[in-house]
Amino acid sequence: MNDKATLSVIIYTRQARRLTRNSIAKSAAVIHSARDDSVAKTPVARLRLFPGAPSPMPIAAVPIWLRRVVPDAQSLGAQGVDDIALAAGAAIAALDAVVRREEKWAGAWRQRLALAAAAATARQAGRVEDETQLRDAVLLTRPGDDAGPGGRMLLAWRRLATQSAGGLLTEASIAKVLEDLGHARDDEAASDLAADLRQLGAGVETVRMLTGAFIAAERYGLGHPVGAWLADALLAERLGWAYAAPLLGTGIGLSSGRSRRPAAAFPVTGLDTDTDRAKNLLAAVARAALRAIDLSAELGRRADRLLAIAPKLRAKGADAVVDRLLDKDALVASRGDETTGMSDRGLRRLFDRLVSLGAVRELSGRATFRVYGL
């Protein structure tokens, strides 16, 4: 190489280079991965830097710092109320962003949350049904028949997830929920409870509002699941969501912070909540919000796979089946109906094809009466 060529190389390497948005993003990704290699190995941390690169999941990322500051049961006592409140507020804000995107699969997501809450409710009631058995109790029951105690618990949580948030706290809705959750129907108590909840929703800050839902349930001799159901409904109403997301139903042990004072000492207005109760509630809300966001990311990936395959389906009524899979927790393969316009045999063939393509899963593990969903 002659001297002129060598000088050209030196000049080129010392020239100031134009920084584009893509080059900055690539450099930032490299620096970030070097600083926190463990984060870079997770799917959320893989950045979509190139137009043709597939996105690993819908954007529902939870900041790493938020996962670290949300306390578990062991570390709850070491943190102050203000710190836990900050984490809970950030978690709810992240969940609110997921809810307001109104994804096509939001119906299936809310019903999966309802199923988890129903399973927790059954455990607290001393029942043995798991999520699969609770799902069967509803799906394999003919319309109009009694789904049994466990099935009614699932129906109560599904009502929270599928009924308009504005109509959840009416007297009729509350009376039906109390009945489904194992309490005797009492229209007078439902009316009084609805009035208390309207008062809570109108003029109390969010933490006291949620705590007040549990206190109100205690005052009427109702259990933790009812308080959780009411708190979720109040939260959805406060945030202006079209439908509630079942969150606090999975908060096992939330009622462990119950005060020893009689329920009558807790007026609905001017709540004098104790610190332990507030910390338990805030931590439960934060953990439940993170679980809901993680589930949304998982179902979002599965829904993207189903929607990518949908144009290849040639069966009549396939579009209706895809829409129902995105809106429901699960469908029974042997139950064709007017909504899909497909026979039982045609529906089973379609589900078999979807499973072979990796678009849906068989959820029951049975050879007959199979159940399919995202």
Side-chain angles (χ1 to χ4, degrees):
M1 181 180 296
N2 56 35
D3 293 341
K4 184 179 294 186
T6 302
L7 182 59
S8 299
V9 173
I10 295 173
I11 293 174
Y12 175 76
T13 56
R14 291 183 177 179
Q15 282 180 338
R17 299 190 183 181
R18 179 176 297 176
L19 296 178
T20 64
R21 183 170 56 183
N22 285 341
S23 63
I24 294 174
K26 295 175 187 177
S27 300
V30 171
I31 294 171
H32 180 72
S33 62
R35 289 179 178 174
D36 193 350
D37 196 37
S38 62
V39 176
K41 292 178 181 178
T42 63
V44 178
R46 294 183 191 131
L47 302 178
R48 188 174 181 178
L49 301 178
F50 305 98
S55 178
M57 66 174 62
I59 299 175
V62 176
I64 299 301
W65 68 265
L66 181 54
R67 293 192 186 276
R68 291 173 179 167
V69 299
V70 172
D72 55 20
Q74 289 72 30
S75 61
L76 188 60
Q79 296 193 30
V81 175
D82 292 341
D83 292 336
I84 301 175
L86 176 62
I92 292 175
L95 178 63
D96 182 68
V98 175
V99 172
R100 294 189 185 282
R101 289 208 308 269
E102 298 182 352
E103 300 283 3
K104 293 182 177 180
W105 41 262
W109 172 61
R110 289 193 302 270
Q111 288 199 14
R112 287 285 170 85
L113 292 173
L115 180 61
T121 301
R123 288 194 300 271
Q124 291 181 32
R127 303 192 62 82
V128 298
E129 293 97 333
D130 59 11
E131 291 187 4
T132 300
Q133 292 167 327
L134 291 173
R135 180 188 283 129
D136 285 349
V138 173
L139 283 181
L140 302 182
T141 300
R142 294 180 179 179
D145 290 349
D146 185 10
R152 289 195 296 271
M153 290 177 181
L154 176 55
L155 290 174
W157 286 104
R158 277 194 179 177
R159 183 175 297 107
L160 180 73
T162 58
Q163 185 174 328
S164 174
L168 289 174
L169 297 177
T170 63
E171 297 175 14
S173 177
I174 293 175
K176 180 60 177 172
V177 167
L178 296 182
E179 191 175 10
D180 287 343
L181 292 179
H183 300 278
R185 187 180 181 92
D186 188 339
D187 292 337
E188 182 178 355
S191 177
D192 293 342
L193 186 55
D196 289 348
L197 294 171
R198 284 194 296 271
Q199 194 175 3
L200 277 174
V204 180
E205 64 184 23
T206 301
V207 176
R208 292 175 177 264
M209 178 188 73
L210 298 179
T211 309
F214 288 94
I215 295 174
E218 291 172 10
R219 179 184 295 116
Y220 292 96
L222 307 172
H224 165 75
V226 175
W229 196 99
L230 298 175
D232 283 339
L234 282 171
L235 181 62
E237 188 178 78
R238 174 65 58 89
L239 296 177
W241 293 348
Y243 299 95
L247 299 173
L248 288 168
T250 58
I252 301 295
L254 179 60
S255 58
S256 61
R258 180 182 299 180
S259 174
R260 296 179 181 177
R261 288 177 291 174
F266 291 101
V268 174
T269 57
L271 295 175
D272 183 21
T273 57
D274 60 287
T275 302
D276 289 340
R277 182 191 286 270
K279 289 170 66 174
N280 283 332
L281 176 60
L282 289 167
V285 170
R287 290 193 296 264
L290 296 188
R291 286 195 299 268
I293 294 171
D294 291 340
L295 179 62
S296 75
E298 180 183 353
L299 290 183
R301 291 195 303 271
R302 296 175 185 173
D304 286 345
R305 175 66 176 168
L306 175 60
L307 290 171
I309 290 172
K312 303 176 183 178
L313 302 175
R314 297 289 182 262
K316 182 180 179 181
D319 291 342
V321 173
V322 170
D323 289 341
R324 294 193 65 192
L325 285 168
L326 295 173
D327 191 53
K328 306 290 184 183
D329 165 48
L331 300 178
V332 181
S334 58
R335 189 175 296 169
D337 57 24
E338 297 178 358
T339 304
T340 62
M342 299 182 69
S343 65
D344 293 357
R345 180 178 297 180
L347 195 57
R348 285 194 295 269
R349 285 200 301 266
L350 176 60
F351 280 127
D352 288 342
R353 175 163 171 73
L354 289 173
V355 170
S356 67
L357 294 173
V360 299
R361 300 178 300 152
E362 204 286 313
L363 302 175
S364 71
R366 294 186 297 262
T368 57
F369 298 105
R370 293 184 173 182
V371 176
Y372 296 87
L374 288 178

